[in-house]
């Protein structure tokens, strides 16, 4: 508790810590001082110091709530003012940057237009290409289209070739420019049909319009615009994107050509394998046929040999039997004698005795060496 002495009557009363803090905070405010003075005057006339003090305390709290609300409102107002100020500054900065960018673009446009008109857009593009020809397009063709036999011609034709001399990309170029003083303004689309016609007549795959027309167009000022929804493989580019456009188309076509060559090689290998398998199948069928024929002839020969062997075996058996019979006959012939012939036959024995000895000896056959 804190003691507070009334400056008027000199009476002292007690106030708690919170009340004391509130009073101390409000002392800084003139209105608070006035309120305190009024309450002190009421205290002088009131005998119940506690009631008067309570009323004073309530009044102080009310004033403190009002002050807090006023402070919050002030803080919110300050924050809002600050945010609005920052937004205004940001808008002003963005406006300034856009203005600078516009000025730069106008300056660039003026310089570009003056340059293009002075040296011609065609000459500018040719010079730009020749700057990079040796390093980026050493084997490429980039020349003026001077062939007007079909009634019209483009400005330039670009072609590039692979290591084997095969063309893998071609572009028909048309360059269009006009100064700001031109009375009749042309649009890019006014030249699409003619450019597509030139592309087809000169057998070019792509068509590119390099244009400074429609200088205020947000679409064409992006740099590269694909208009293939109107005509196939056609693009509109600003001059600064002339070389990048050639590079994009050329590299894309080169990759596609590489894939095509690889695909052709694979297809050729597949055809070679198919031919090999076909020839192998023919060989196998022909070999089998010849083998079957040879096998059948071989079997016939074997069968003939077997038959011959069987016949010879029979002949052999017959000869063996004949030899055995001849041997037996020989043995029987060798065993024949006069005594055996006349044995038991007195008549024949008498007959042989009557024959003279020499005649009998002459009639006997001589044995041959076997």
């Amino acid at each position: 508790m804190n003691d507070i002495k009334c400056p008027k009557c000199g009476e002292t009363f007690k106030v708690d810590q919170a009340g004391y803090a509130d009073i101390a905070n409000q002392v800084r405010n003139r209105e608070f001082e006035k309120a305190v003075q009024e309450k002190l005057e009421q205290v002088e006339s009131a005998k119940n110091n506690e009631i008067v003090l309570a009323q004073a305390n309530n009044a102080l709290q009310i004033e403190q709530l009002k002050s807090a609300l006023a402070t919050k409102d002030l803080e919110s107002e300050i924050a809002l003012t600050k945010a609005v100020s920052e937004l205004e500054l940001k808008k002003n900065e963005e406006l300034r940057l856009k203005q600078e960018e516009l000025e730069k673009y106008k300056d660039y446009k003026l310089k570009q237009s003056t340059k293009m008109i002075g040296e011609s857009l065609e000459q500018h593009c040719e010079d730009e290409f020749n700057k990079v020809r040796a390093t980026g397009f050493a084997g490429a063709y980039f020349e003026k289209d001077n062939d007007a036999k079909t009634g019209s011609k483009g400005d330039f034709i670009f072609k590039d070739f692979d290591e084997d001399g095969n063309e893998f990309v071609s572009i028909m170029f048309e360059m269009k420019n006009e100064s700001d003083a031109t009375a009749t303004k042309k649009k890019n689309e006014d030249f699409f049909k003619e450019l597509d016609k030139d592309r087809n007549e000169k057998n070019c795959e792509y068509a590119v319009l390099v244009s400074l027309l429609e200088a205020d167009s947000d679409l064409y000022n992006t740099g590269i615009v694909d208009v293939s929804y109107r005509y196939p493989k056609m693009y509109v580019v600003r001059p600064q994107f002339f070389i990048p456009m050639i590079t994009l188309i050329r590299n894309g076509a080169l990759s596609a050509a590489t894939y095509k060559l690889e695909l052709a090689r694979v297809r050729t290998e597949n055809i070679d394998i198919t031919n090999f398998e076909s020839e192998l199948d023919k060989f196998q069928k022909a070999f089998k046929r010849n083998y079957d024929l040879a096998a059948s002839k071989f079997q016939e020969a074997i069968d003939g040999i077997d038959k011959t062997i069987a016949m010879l075996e029979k002949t052999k058996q017959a000869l063996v039997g004949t030899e055995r019979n001849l041997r037996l006959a020989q043995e029987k012939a060798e065993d024949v004698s006069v005594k055996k012939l006349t044995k038991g036959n007195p008549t024949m024995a008498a007959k042989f005795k009557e024959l003279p000895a020499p005649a009998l000896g002459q009639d006997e056959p001589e044995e041959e060496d076997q």
Side-chain angles (χ1 to χ4, degrees):
M1 299 294 288
N2 295 294
D3 294 334
I4 297 179
K5 184 177 181 181
C6 178
K8 294 290 186 182
C9 63
E11 185 177 355
T12 301
F13 55 93
K14 295 184 178 295
V15 181
D16 59 13
Q17 188 67 29
Y20 182 81
D22 290 338
I23 294 173
N25 288 332
Q26 293 295 331
V27 168
R28 299 184 184 92
N29 192 307
R30 176 180 293 180
E31 293 182 0
F32 171 74
E33 292 178 355
K34 181 179 180 181
V36 171
Q37 184 65 32
E38 291 177 354
K39 295 304 177 184
L40 290 174
E41 292 175 355
Q42 291 178 2
V43 169
E44 290 180 359
S45 61
K47 294 181 179 180
N48 192 349
N49 291 334
E50 292 182 359
I51 295 175
V52 173
L53 182 61
Q55 291 177 348
N57 190 36
N58 290 335
L60 289 174
Q61 290 180 355
I62 291 172
E63 291 298 329
Q64 183 180 6
L65 291 171
K66 288 182 179 179
S67 177
L69 291 174
T71 301
K72 289 183 179 179
D73 291 341
L74 181 60
E75 290 177 353
S76 298
E77 185 177 355
I78 292 174
L80 180 61
T81 303
K82 183 179 180 181
V84 171
S85 178
E86 290 178 353
L87 182 61
E88 290 295 329
L89 288 175
K90 184 177 181 181
K91 287 184 177 180
N92 291 334
E93 181 66 15
E94 291 179 353
L95 182 61
R96 184 184 66 80
L97 292 175
K98 288 183 178 180
Q99 187 65 29
E100 290 181 357
E101 184 178 355
L102 180 61
E103 292 298 327
K104 289 180 180 179
Y105 173 75
K106 288 182 178 180
D107 183 64
Y108 169 79
K109 177 184 172 184
L110 179 62
K111 291 179 179 179
Q112 286 294 102
S113 180
T114 302
K115 179 181 180 182
M116 297 305 174
I117 293 172
E119 66 181 24
S120 83
L121 182 57
E122 293 86 351
Q123 185 63 48
H124 166 76
C125 291
E126 186 175 17
D127 291 343
E128 290 299 306
F129 182 84
N130 287 332
K131 290 177 183 178
V132 297
R133 181 193 290 269
T135 56
F137 308 98
Y141 170 93
F142 183 76
E143 300 293 340
K144 288 281 292 183
D145 179 18
N146 296 317
D147 184 3
K149 291 185 295 185
T150 58
S152 64
K153 62 183 182 67
D155 287 326
F156 285 91
I157 294 177
F158 170 87
K159 295 181 179 181
D160 208 349
F161 309 86
D162 61 19
E163 296 178 354
D164 297 325
N166 300 313
E167 177 186 313
F168 66 86
V169 65
S170 57
I171 309 172
M172 171 63 71
F173 281 100
E174 183 75 17
M175 286 73 173
K176 290 298 176 184
N177 181 32
E178 64 184 9
S179 67
D180 293 335
T182 304
T184 304
K185 300 294 183 180
K186 294 288 186 178
K187 293 185 176 181
N188 289 310
E189 63 182 17
D190 295 339
F191 301 95
F192 290 171
K193 184 177 181 180
E194 189 69 18
L195 177 57
D196 185 66
K197 176 175 176 289
D198 293 336
R199 177 182 72 86
N200 289 319
E201 289 179 349
K202 302 302 168 61
N203 297 318
C204 292
E205 185 177 2
Y206 293 89
V208 176
L209 176 64
V210 183
S211 171
L212 281 170
L213 306 181
E214 299 183 67
D216 297 328
S217 170
D218 291 335
L219 173 63
Y220 294 113
N221 286 336
T222 58
I224 298 177
V225 180
D226 183 354
V227 293
S228 57
Y229 62 91
R230 294 286 304 277
Y231 294 93
K233 297 187 176 182
M234 182 178 291
Y235 299 88
V236 179
V237 302
R238 291 307 190 196
Q240 59 268 34
F241 293 95
F242 168 64
I243 295 299
M245 192 66 210
I246 294 179
T247 303
L248 288 173
I249 294 178
R250 185 253 187 195
N251 291 345
L254 181 60
S255 298
T258 302
Y259 292 138
K260 288 178 181 179
L261 289 175
E262 182 65 17
L263 180 60
R265 185 185 66 79
V266 171
R267 286 177 176 173
T268 302
E269 290 180 354
N270 290 338
I271 292 174
D272 290 343
I273 292 174
T274 302
N275 292 336
F276 174 77
E277 291 176 346
S278 176
E279 293 298 325
L280 179 61
D281 184 62
K282 289 180 181 179
F283 170 77
Q284 289 175 338
K285 289 180 179 179
F287 181 82
K288 184 176 182 302
R289 179 175 177 276
N290 292 335
Y291 175 81
D292 291 341
L293 291 174
S296 63
K297 297 295 183 182
F298 185 75
Q299 190 60 44
E300 289 179 4
I302 291 175
D303 292 343
I305 292 173
D306 289 341
K307 290 179 181 179
T308 302
I309 291 173
M311 185 170 25
L312 290 174
E313 190 64 28
K314 289 180 180 179
T315 304
K316 175 184 176 183
Q317 294 297 329
L319 291 173
V320 170
T322 302
E323 188 273 336
R324 185 174 60 253
N325 291 328
L326 289 174
R327 181 173 53 79
L328 292 173
Q330 178 68 24
E331 290 178 352
K332 290 179 179 180
E334 290 178 350
D335 195 46
V336 174
S337 63
V338 175
K339 289 181 178 181
K340 289 182 178 181
L341 292 174
T342 58
K343 183 180 180 180
N345 192 341
T347 303
M348 288 302 296
K351 293 292 184 181
F352 276 106
K353 286 182 179 181
E354 292 178 356
L355 293 173
L360 182 60
Q362 290 177 355
D363 292 336
E364 291 181 358
E366 296 182 356
E367 294 183 358
E368 297 181 356
D369 296 332
Q370 298 296 325

